[in-house]
């Protein structure tokens, strides 16, 4: 029966079986969890959705302001200058890479609908930012 089989992502993150309830769960950090966060289709779709919001929702913002907005959306706090600087540098590097290699940007974006007014290489770079944010320990663990 499908209902009795645990969802693979739940198993990787030490979730209890569906009929069970736990007061507290163990807190682990394993390579399998990292692989799940980077490759499981559900998490990839979440990163694309966040990339779309970063690229389109905050109107008339600089790239740095978009990063700060995204960080606050995911983490619930304003990033430190070093955190924002790192993400901005990574975003600019990815955007330059995709601008010089349009085929790589096209391959990454693939079936995603690029938002109106957003260049493909920019959207691909925002995906990298979104993926990083959603994979930070602070984003995936409570307290």
């Amino acid at each position: 029966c499908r209902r009795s089989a645990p969802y693979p992502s739940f198993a990787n993150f030490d979730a209890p079986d569906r009929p069970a309830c736990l007061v507290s769960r163990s807190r682990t950090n394993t390579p399998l969890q990292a692989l799940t966060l980077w490759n499981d289709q559900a998490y990839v779709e979440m990163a694309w959705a966040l990339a779309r919001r970063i690229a389109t929702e905050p109107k008339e913002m600089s790239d740095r302001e978009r990063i700060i907005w995204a960080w606050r959306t995911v983490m619930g706090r304003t990033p430190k200058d070093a955190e924002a600087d790192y993400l901005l540098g990574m975003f600019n590097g990815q955007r330059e890479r995709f601008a010089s290699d349009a085929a790589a940007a096209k391959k990454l974006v693939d079936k995603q609908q690029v938002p109106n007014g957003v260049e493909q290489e920019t959207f691909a770079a925002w995906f990298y930012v979104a993926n990083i944010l959603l994979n930070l320990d602070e984003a995936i663990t409570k307290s």
Side-chain angles (χ1 to χ4, degrees), residues 105-142:
K106 183 173 176 53
K107 185 177 179 181
L108 177 64
V109 173
D110 191 31
K111 296 175 184 143
Q112 298 297 318
Q113 183 175 350
V114 179
N116 291 335
V118 178
E119 296 172 342
Q120 184 168 296
E121 62 269 10
T122 301
F123 188 45
W126 282 128
F127 172 72
Y128 271 78
V129 170
N131 223 349
I132 288 171
L133 286 172
L134 293 175
N135 282 281
L136 290 174
D137 189 53
E138 188 176 342
I140 61 173
T141 58
K142 284 178 89 172

Side-chain angles (χ1 to χ4, degrees), residues 33-131:
Q33 290 171 345
L35 286 171
T36 300
L37 289 170
W38 284 103
N39 297 307
D40 185 284
Q41 187 61 34
Y43 296 100
V44 172
E45 288 175 13
M46 289 177 221
W48 278 118
L50 180 58
R52 184 169 281 102
R53 285 189 69 192
I54 295 168
T56 61
E57 192 163 301
K59 303 292 183 203
E60 306 303 321
M61 288 184 157
S62 68
D63 292 338
R64 183 180 183 78
E65 289 170 328
R66 287 178 190 279
I67 285 171
I68 292 168
W69 177 88
W71 187 285
R72 289 189 66 205
T73 299
V74 173
M75 306 297 177
R77 69 172 178 85
T78 303
K80 298 173 185 158
D81 286 339
E83 294 166 331
D85 290 343
Y86 175 82
L87 281 179
L88 183 60
M90 193 284 311
F91 169 75
N92 287 329
Q94 291 300 320
R95 185 169 50 188
E96 288 173 19
R97 179 174 77 95
F98 288 126
S100 66
D101 187 359
K106 183 173 176 53
K107 185 177 179 181
L108 177 64
V109 173
D110 191 31
K111 296 175 184 143
Q112 298 297 318
Q113 183 175 350
V114 179
N116 291 335
V118 178
E119 296 172 342
Q120 184 168 296
E121 62 269 10
T122 301
F123 188 45
W126 282 128
F127 172 72
Y128 271 78
V129 170
N131 223 349

Side-chain angles (χ1 to χ4, degrees), residues 5-17 25 28 30 32-33 36:
Y7 181 60
S9 182
F10 290 175
N12 293 345
F13 287 92
D14 304 320
D17 294 334
R25 290 178 21 199
T28 61
T30 68
L32 193 52
Q33 290 171 345
T36 300

